[in-house]
């Protein structure tokens, strides 16, 4: 017996001691992050330091297998987890477990003006990414809406840096709460898809700091763990390894401790990439798996970098900084044992998708209160337009998804009204019959044998015989619509929709247009229709979200995150230029397109205000099924210094007969400044839900950030003494109250 016990206790001692043997610091979660990083770095060979910082496949990097430092798996995109692709191809891998929740476009999230929804959005997307074992989600896209023609506006947060910044910060926190990194993109001034690889954005410091960088800074301030450099050049150097943008501003002034990842194929030179602050290279053209040896070793930051270090061209210390960042990212994600397990296609995600869609829809016009649909007056509805039945979760570029399901608008209406209202559908025209993008099949065959004349005649017949017409207009995810890699070529709706809408409205005055797009379009027929809804790409729950708003189950509360221009010459990027830019041969970069941002800081409503233009609809505009009254704004100080906090209070009342939410906007106007400033700038907003008759005192705090402008000569944010105005608006053009104050 004794001997057995002796053996047992010896065994326990061994096992016990092995169990508690010195776990290397880099693997010990109880140790501080930076200690773990340094320990891992000290154990790595030069080859391992090179390999860990570039792709091994389309979307992954190798980690350090011999040290048990895991691979990093990235994936698109900002609105949902992209279906699995083959190792080194864009083509689908054909997995059966990678359908996802397609959340609404980020422009819809911006249109909700609800930071809490941004957290919900990011958290839900992060849970899907976590479940799919992704470490880095390649989003959010936060580029400013500079021209309505940009093919990727639908992926971004609109024209205003403050709104984009607030929503970005919350989205980042949501995603990263799952131990999944964001990769905020595309840094920076990447505002058109036309010639996106060769556009050289020539931007002043003021425009950079006041317009194009704030959303990225908000992401960094929210703790973003990685950032993606854009394809374009900025002031003559590629953005993804731009000395000024990456080394001086991002890593210098902002103290970013994460990883700078190139856009896929955005690297063109080893020396520039090494010295320009790029940390990880992805997507550089390789000839797939057919090349001699591993194509990834041919990356600019692979063998050429390795040899460069050996030859003393590049310092190992500089390389170590890049490696530290990748190790930090890995320990925050793949090596983070405390992260939750995520979930995929849960009911909670579907409800989040629907709620964000419902909160982002913008009611732009509602004559005769034709909406919500009246059950007594409306016994039949004609649904017209291709966008009533078109799958929109597929296409559009890297944000294309394999959604578990997608409720089309017509289906949403049929589900909502069942047989209480007779609904007929007419296509009206054949626009895009896209059947797949990157081999994600739409499972739709939208060919229609009828002639355009027959299609139109059938639509008009249906319209004539209905109590109400719902015309689903808009764009789609095909090239030259809302799609990566191409810009639109006109502000007009495609496929002859303008003429068809006019014809339909002529036979039935009770015509409502539901516009599905990610960006603004011209509306020459606006005066001829009774109501207009701006309904974005809403993902899985598209039809249910739209039907809920049309039926009045949900009171629309969205507000436009960008100006709805009536024509391109109302947009500074086109009026002042430069779009689409001027070709030039650069001795280093080759054939590029110089795009002078002559609009400078006057982007969106900043230009509209300056030139007193009347757009179709202004920034921040959106109606409700109820009405809101604003009382007089008051301010707690009339005088103070720039470091004081001024508090502005304004009573807002629901003066209508149904509950609703109102987005109260605070703009600040600096009445006298040594440098040009916009008439006013958004510096605060609050979404308040009010029952009929309810009043809430909405308060805003005004501090230095709300007052300052960027002085490029002093290279500093400055507040100049003088008179300011706090302007309370229901939109940028609907000013309800103004109160002035003095900065001594
Ligand atoms: C694309 C896009 C970028 C995307 C990446 C990976 O070209 O510009 O947004 O995340 O490549 O698909």
């Amino acid at each position: 017996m004794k001997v057995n016990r002796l053996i047992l206790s010896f065994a326990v001692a061994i096992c016990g001691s092995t169990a508690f043997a010195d776990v290397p610091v880099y693997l010990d979660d109880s140790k501080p992050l930076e200690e773990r990083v340094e320990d891992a770095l000290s154990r790595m060979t030069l080859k391992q330091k090179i390999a860990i910082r570039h792709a091994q496949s389309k979307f992954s990097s190798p980690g350090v297998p011999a040290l048990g430092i895991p691979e990093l798996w990235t994936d698109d995109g900002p609105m949902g987890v992209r279906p699995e692709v083959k190792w080194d191809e864009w083509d689908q891998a054909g997995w059966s477990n990678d359908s996802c929740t397609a959340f609404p476009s980020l422009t819809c999230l911006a249109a909700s003006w609800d930071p809490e929804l941004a957290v919900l959005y990011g958290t839900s997307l992060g849970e899907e990414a976590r479940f799919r074992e992704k470490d880095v989600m390649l989003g959010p896209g936060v580029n400013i809406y500079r021209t309505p023609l940009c093919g990727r506006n639908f992926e971004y947060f609109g024209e205003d840096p403050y709104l984009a910044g607030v929503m970005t910060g919350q989205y980042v926190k949501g995603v990263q709460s799952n131990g999944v990194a964001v990769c905020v993109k595309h840094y920076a001034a990447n505002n058109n898809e036309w010639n996106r690889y060769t556009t050289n954005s020539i931007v002043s410091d003021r425009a950079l700091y006041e317009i194009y960088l704030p959303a990225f800074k908000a992401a960094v301030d929210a703790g973003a763990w990685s950032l993606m450099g854009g394809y374009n050049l900025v002031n003559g150097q590629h953005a993804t390894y731009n000395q000024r943008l990456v080394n001086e501003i991002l890593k210098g002034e902002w103290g970013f401790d994460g990883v700078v990842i190139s856009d896929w194929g955005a690297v063109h030179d080893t020396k520039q990439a090494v010295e320009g602050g790029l940390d990880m290279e992805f997507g550089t053209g390789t000839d797939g798996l057919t090349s001699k040896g591993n194509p990834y070793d041919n990356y600019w930051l692979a063998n050429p970098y390795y040899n460069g270090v050996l030859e003393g061209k590049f310092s190992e210390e500089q390389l170590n900084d890049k490696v530290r960042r990748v190790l930090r990212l890995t320990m925050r994600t793949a090596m983070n044992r405390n992260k939750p397990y995520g979930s995929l296609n849960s009911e909670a995600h579907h409800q989040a998708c629907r709620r964000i869609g419902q909160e982002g829809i913008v009611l732009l016009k509602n004559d005769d209160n034709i909406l919500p649909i009246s059950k007594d007056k409306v016994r039949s509805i004609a649904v017209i337009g291709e966008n009533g039945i078109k799958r929109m979760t597929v296409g559009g570029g890297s944000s294309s998804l394999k959604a578990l399901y997608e409720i089309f608008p017509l289906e949403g209406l049929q589900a909502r009204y069942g047989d209480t209202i007779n609904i007929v559908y007419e296509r009206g025209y054949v626009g895009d019959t896209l059947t797949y993008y990157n081999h994600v099949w739409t499972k739709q065959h939208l060919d229609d044998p009828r002639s355009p004349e027959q299609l139109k005649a059938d639509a008009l017949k249906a319209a004539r015989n209905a109590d109400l017409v719902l015309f689903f207009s808009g764009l789609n995810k095909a090239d030259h619509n809302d799609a990566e890699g191409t810009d639109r070529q006109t502000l007009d709706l495609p496929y002859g929709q303008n003429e068809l809408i006019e014809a339909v409205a002529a036979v039935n005055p009770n015509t409502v247009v539901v516009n599905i797009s990610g960006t603004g379009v011209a509306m020459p027929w606006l005066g001829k229709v009774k109501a207009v809804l701006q309904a974005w790409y809403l993902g899985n729950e598209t039809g249910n979200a739209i039907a809920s708003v049309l039926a009045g189950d949900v009171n629309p509360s969205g507000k436009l995150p960008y100006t709805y221009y009536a024509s391109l010459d109302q947009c500074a990027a086109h009026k002042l230029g430069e779009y689409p830019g001027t070709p030039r041969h650069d001795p280093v970069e080759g054939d590029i397109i110089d795009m002078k941002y002559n609009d400078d800081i006057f982007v969106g409503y900043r230009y509209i205000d300056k030139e007193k233009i009347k757009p179709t609809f202004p920034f921040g505009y959106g109606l409700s099924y109820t009405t809101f009254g604003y009382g007089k704004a008051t301010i707690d100080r009339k005088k103070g210094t720039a470091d004081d906090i001024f508090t502005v209070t304004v009573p807002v009342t629901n003066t209508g007969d149904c509950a609703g939410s109102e987005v109260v906007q605070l703009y600040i106007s600096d009445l006298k400044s040594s440098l040009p400033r916009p008439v006013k700038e958004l510096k605060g907003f609050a979404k308040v839900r009010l029952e009929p008759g309810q009043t809430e005192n909405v308060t805003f705090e005004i501090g230095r950030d709300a007052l300052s402008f960027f002085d490029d000569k002093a290279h500093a944010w400055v507040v100049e003494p003088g008179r300011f105005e706090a302007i309370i608006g229901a939109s940028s053009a609907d000013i309800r109250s103004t109160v002035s104050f003095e900065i001594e």
Side-chain angles (χ1 to χ4, degrees), residues 46 50 270 274 302-315:
L46 178 58
I50 293 292
T270 298
V274 169
N303 283 345
Y305 189 15
Y306 177 72
N307 296 330
V309 172
L310 291 181
E311 291 152 16
K313 269 200 296 189
F314 306 118
S315 78

Side-chain angles (χ1 to χ4, degrees), residues 59 76 82 90 138 152 185-186 196 228 231 263-264 398 484:
F59 283 100
D76 291 312
R82 183 175 188 159
W90 291 114
L138 303 173
R152 296 185 85 170
K185 67 187 185 183
H186 308 86
R196 64 174 175 163
M228 185 189 295
Y231 285 125
D263 199 340
W264 267 236
S398 56
E484 175 182 339

